[in-house]
Amino acid sequence: MNEPTRDGKQTYRWQLPVEGCASNNWPRYQARLVELAERRQLQWTELGRVAGQPIVLLQPASAPDRPNLLIASGFHGEEPAGPWGVLRFLETATDALFARANISFLPLVNISGFAAGRRLNDAGQNPNRGFCPASGASEDHTGPSHEGLILQAHAELLTQLGRDGVLSCHEDVLVEHGYVYSFERSAVPGPFTRTLRDANARFFALLPDGEVDGCPIRDGIVFNHADSSFEAWMMQLGVRRAACTETPGKQDVDVRIAANAVMMSAFVEQSFVSP
Ligand code: NI
């Protein structure tokens, strides 16, 4: 996910069997997003534009008695199964599931990276860094990206929309295993974290215990690692819990998309099991 030695400029793309296009086809992605947002009756808001392309927020007509959940993806352009997974989820999730929570989406944050199939944006910035102060690597002190500045300008709104949980969907192109970063206001991982980890493990063997990108990982979980990512920032701003899921870029792309959609469902279902 977040490693200074990763090559942020290498390009990756996969042919998508279900969508019938390449994984970096932004016009096709946008057209499908418009169609599915309409079908789900989600309000389409442009939070801002980077190099002429919109960062889109999708919001439901919210009901006050339901949990507020925020699903974000596409921070890193070589991790396309998150954004395509949002489409799969919008297409396949039941109406009953949608009716149980106020689910908002940031479907694709780093459009220039996505279109290039490249981790970093066109300015060479990491859009999942610089949201907040962090201890650790020097890359954490570089400040927000162009995309990050737009999200920061909507901090209050995003915190409200993700009040009861934030899910950020990533991939790791270097591995064949799945894993999860998670944040809870507890000393050990609870059902929220374990449910997402287990959903990932339905599709992929979990990364062995040890280290990933300099973080200790155990049972497929990196827990409460305070970096300067979007999800760490959301926790700082007061959301109840957050997670960043990682599907393996070395596995079949359609399985990765399916896994992302299933993890989104698990994320929503978990908000009732353990409110
Ligand atoms: Ni990532």
Side-chain angles (χ1 to χ4, degrees):
M1 166 194 172
N2 299 301
E3 160 65 20
T5 60
R6 279 178 194 277
D7 179 357
K9 295 176 181 160
Q10 192 179 337
T11 58
Y12 296 82
R13 69 178 68 103
W14 293 267
Q15 190 62 28
L16 306 184
V18 175
E19 301 290 345
C21 65
S23 58
N24 64 328
N25 190 329
W26 158 239
R28 168 80 178 149
Y29 183 86
Q30 192 176 30
R32 292 277 289 130
L33 188 64
V34 168
E35 181 190 324
L36 289 164
E38 277 178 18
R39 195 193 301 176
R40 290 289 183 184
Q41 298 182 299
L42 297 167
Q43 180 190 323
W44 179 287
T45 305
E46 273 189 35
L47 296 183
R49 287 189 168 236
V50 178
Q53 300 299 328
I55 295 183
V56 172
L57 171 70
L58 301 179
Q59 288 174 257
S62 69
D65 57 331
R66 298 174 189 164
N68 284 2
L69 304 175
L70 176 63
I71 296 175
S73 72
F75 285 85
H76 291 140
E78 91 286 33
E79 304 173 5
W84 291 104
V86 168
L87 298 189
R88 185 75 57 90
F89 178 70
L90 289 173
E91 185 150 46
T92 59
T94 63
D95 290 342
L97 188 70
F98 262 84
R100 292 173 71 187
N102 302 314
I103 315 170
S104 301
F105 300 86
L106 288 167
L108 178 45
V109 171
N110 173 11
I111 297 165
S112 65
F114 178 88
R118 180 198 57 221
R119 181 173 185 78
L120 305 178
N121 67 11
D122 269 355
Q125 300 167 323
N126 181 344
N128 202 35
R129 276 291 177 268
F131 282 96
C132 54
S135 55
S138 57
E139 68 153 6
D140 287 354
H141 304 290
T142 52
S145 62
H146 299 318
E147 292 82 2
L149 286 169
I150 289 171
L151 298 182
Q152 285 186 330
H154 297 88
E156 197 176 330
L157 172 64
L158 295 173
T159 306
Q160 179 61 20
L161 297 179
R163 182 189 65 203
D164 300 299
V166 172
L167 176 66
S168 188
C169 301
H170 282 249
E171 298 203 90
D172 186 334
V173 293
L174 301 180
V175 300
E176 297 174 358
H177 301 79
Y179 59 100
V180 171
Y181 291 80
S182 85
F183 300 83
E184 295 190 62
R185 302 193 184 281
S186 59
V188 293
F192 168 75
T193 296
R194 295 197 306 270
T195 298
L196 286 169
R197 185 270 318 271
D198 292 349
N200 204 341
R202 282 173 52 192
F203 295 86
F204 310 109
L206 294 172
L207 204 64
D209 289 359
E211 273 202 357
V212 59
D213 290 352
C215 305
I217 182 164
R218 190 174 168 194
D219 299 329
I221 298 165
V222 179
F223 191 59
N224 283 344
H225 173 68
D227 50 24
S228 64
S229 63
F230 175 73
E231 50 277 12
W233 175 60
M234 287 277 96
M235 283 299 282
Q236 263 191 18
L237 292 180
V239 304
R240 184 167 300 165
R241 49 201 177 186
C244 160
T245 52
E246 300 275 353
T247 47
K250 290 191 166 180
Q251 300 288 358
D252 180 89
V253 70
D254 199 53
V255 178
R256 287 150 49 198
I257 292 170
N260 272 280
V262 164
M263 287 191 283
M264 290 171 206
S265 291
F267 168 69
V268 175
E269 283 162 7
Q270 181 58 32
S271 67
F272 316 110
V273 176
S274 127

